[in-house]
């Protein structure tokens, strides 16, 4: 089995499990609402060390294309460091947060295209970036080829050492009685790139996950965090609350700063980058 077929098989296993447990996905924006708000950060903030690593590849006259750029968490800070930013994002909810963030910060050199990346036409730039997107792409070869074709100087992909949607596996297993199927991560992506004769630089970025502080102040906060898992169906929350409550001492470890998930390993963000031929 080629690396690309193996990659698709990982995607298919996740999709089959989700259909069996959750049924057909409703025709709504899964990245809208509270999720979109979570991905909206201050575009004028000081860059952390990981974003500085991304920005180090930019030149003042560059066009930076942010594929699956959401609410502009990465793209909008780059707008202060290049000529133009184009965010390609299919989610209307994410797009609304992007527009509001641009207006609030008075950023005039950033625009967005509301579309799936594979459906876009005539979008190109000097640097093409895709952050935390490849987990959800089944036809990974076509996706990467389109990134490379759109980039005149550099392609950049970031993803975490473990796909964040799979980081609550023990909770999933407690509620649904089976292991959560993992999404493809950096190992599977690198195998695909090597099969495509792409030999990228791989850089481990220094910062911890931006979306969590690693611990929760109280047992009640830890329980609420578990119940806010995006994969948990509303109709299962009451049952899950009882299961999590009964196993809270096993799930969360108390420490000087609160309660942290006992099963989670420290996530590291990977920057995979190359110059297209």
């Amino acid at each position: 089995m080629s690396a690309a077929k193996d990659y698709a098989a990982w995607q298919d296993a996740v999709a089959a499990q989700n259909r069996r447990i959750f049924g057909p996905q409703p025709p709504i924006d899964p990245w809208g609402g509270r999720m979109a708000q979570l991905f909206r950060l201050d575009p004028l903030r000081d860059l952390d060390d990981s974003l500085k690593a991304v920005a180090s590849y930019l030149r003042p006259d560059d066009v930076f294309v942010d594929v699956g750029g959401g609410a502009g968490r990465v793209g909008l800070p780059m707008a202060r460091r290049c000529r133009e930013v184009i965010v390609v994002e299919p989610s209307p909810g994410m797009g609304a947060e992007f527009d509001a963030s641009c207006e609030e910060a008075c950023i005039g050199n950033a625009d967005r295209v509301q579309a799936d990346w594979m459906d876009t036409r005539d979008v190109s730039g000097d640097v093409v970036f895709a952050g935390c997107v490849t987990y959800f792409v089944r036809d990974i070869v076509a996706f990467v080829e389109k990134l490379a074709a759109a980039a005149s100087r550099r392609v950049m992909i970031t993803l975490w050492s473990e796909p964040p949607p799979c980081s609550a596996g023990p909770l999933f297993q407690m509620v649904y009685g089976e292991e959560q199927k993992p999404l493809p991560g950096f190992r599977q992506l690198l195998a695909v790139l090597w099969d495509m004769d792409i030999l990228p630089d791989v850089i481990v970025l220094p910062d911890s996950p931006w979306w969590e502080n690693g611990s929760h102040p109280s047992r009640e906060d830890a329980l609420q965090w578990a119940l806010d898992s995006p994969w948990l169906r509303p109709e299962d929350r009451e049952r899950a609350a009882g299961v999590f409550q009964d196993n809270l001492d096993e799930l969360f470890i108390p420490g000087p700063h609160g309660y942290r998930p006992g099963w989670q390993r420290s996530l590291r963000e990977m920057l995979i980058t190359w110059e297209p031929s």
Side-chain angles (χ1 to χ4, degrees):
M1 180 182 289
S2 72
K5 289 181 179 178
D6 185 45
Y7 199 98
W10 283 63
Q11 288 281 345
D12 291 343
V14 172
Q17 183 182 56
N18 288 341
R19 284 194 301 270
R20 177 167 46 78
I21 293 177
F22 305 118
Q25 294 300 302
I28 59 174
D29 180 8
W31 295 99
R34 187 173 64 87
M35 183 67 74
Q37 294 167 8
L38 176 66
F39 281 81
R40 179 179 170 183
L41 277 66
D42 179 7
L44 306 181
R45 68 192 185 279
D46 293 334
L47 297 188
D48 59 29
D49 289 338
S50 295
L51 281 184
K52 285 178 182 176
V54 173
S56 70
Y57 290 97
L58 286 181
R59 301 172 184 172
D61 199 43
D62 276 349
V63 175
F64 180 81
V65 178
D66 188 358
V67 175
R73 179 184 65 85
V74 174
L76 290 182
M78 297 303 130
R80 302 170 63 193
R81 294 158 176 86
C82 65
R83 175 165 57 91
E84 182 183 3
V85 167
I86 303 171
V87 167
V88 179
E89 171 57 51
S91 164
M94 285 286 194
E97 295 294 335
F98 174 89
D99 292 344
S101 193
C102 276
E103 182 176 358
E104 183 179 300
C106 298
I107 295 175
N109 64 331
D111 202 357
R112 69 179 176 92
V113 177
Q114 186 172 309
D116 183 274
W117 173 241
M118 299 307 296
D119 295 332
T120 60
R121 299 289 184 272
D122 302 322
V123 176
S124 61
D126 302 282
V127 176
V128 176
F129 173 89
C132 294
V133 174
T134 54
Y135 314 123
F136 310 106
V137 177
R138 187 181 187 279
D139 191 352
I140 190 63
V141 171
F143 183 87
V144 170
E145 287 176 342
K146 190 173 177 68
L147 293 180
S152 66
R153 196 176 76 250
R154 181 163 294 275
V155 178
M156 291 193 282
I157 296 173
T158 60
L159 66 171
W160 292 88
S161 52
E162 180 181 358
C166 306
S167 62
L171 301 180
F172 185 100
Q173 188 165 11
M174 282 184 176
V175 176
Y176 297 113
E178 60 185 77
E179 291 187 4
Q180 185 180 28
K181 297 293 184 182
L183 290 162
F186 75 93
R187 294 176 181 85
Q188 291 74 35
L189 177 62
L190 285 174
V192 170
L193 296 180
W194 294 331
D195 273 3
M196 296 173 69
D197 291 326
I198 296 172
L199 301 177
D201 295 326
V202 181
I203 301 164
V204 180
L205 298 176
D207 291 308
S208 300
W210 54 270
W211 62 87
E212 62 180 40
N213 61 13
S215 63
H216 308 281
S218 67
R219 289 169 57 90
E220 291 73 21
D221 289 311
L223 176 61
Q224 187 59 52
W225 174 83
L227 291 172
D228 285 340
S229 297
W231 46 263
L232 184 61
R233 297 184 303 181
E235 58 266 35
D236 295 329
R237 282 178 62 90
E238 184 176 350
R239 179 169 60 87
V243 172
F244 296 158
Q245 184 71 59
D246 291 343
N247 294 276
L248 210 58
D249 291 336
E250 174 188 341
L251 290 170
F252 294 94
I253 300 172
H257 303 293
Y259 292 79
R260 63 179 180 84
W263 70 89
Q264 284 188 346
R265 294 172 291 185
S266 297
L267 298 185
R268 302 300 301 276
E269 191 174 15
M270 325 286 287
L271 171 60
I272 298 173
T273 182
W274 70 95
E275 296 179 2
S277 59

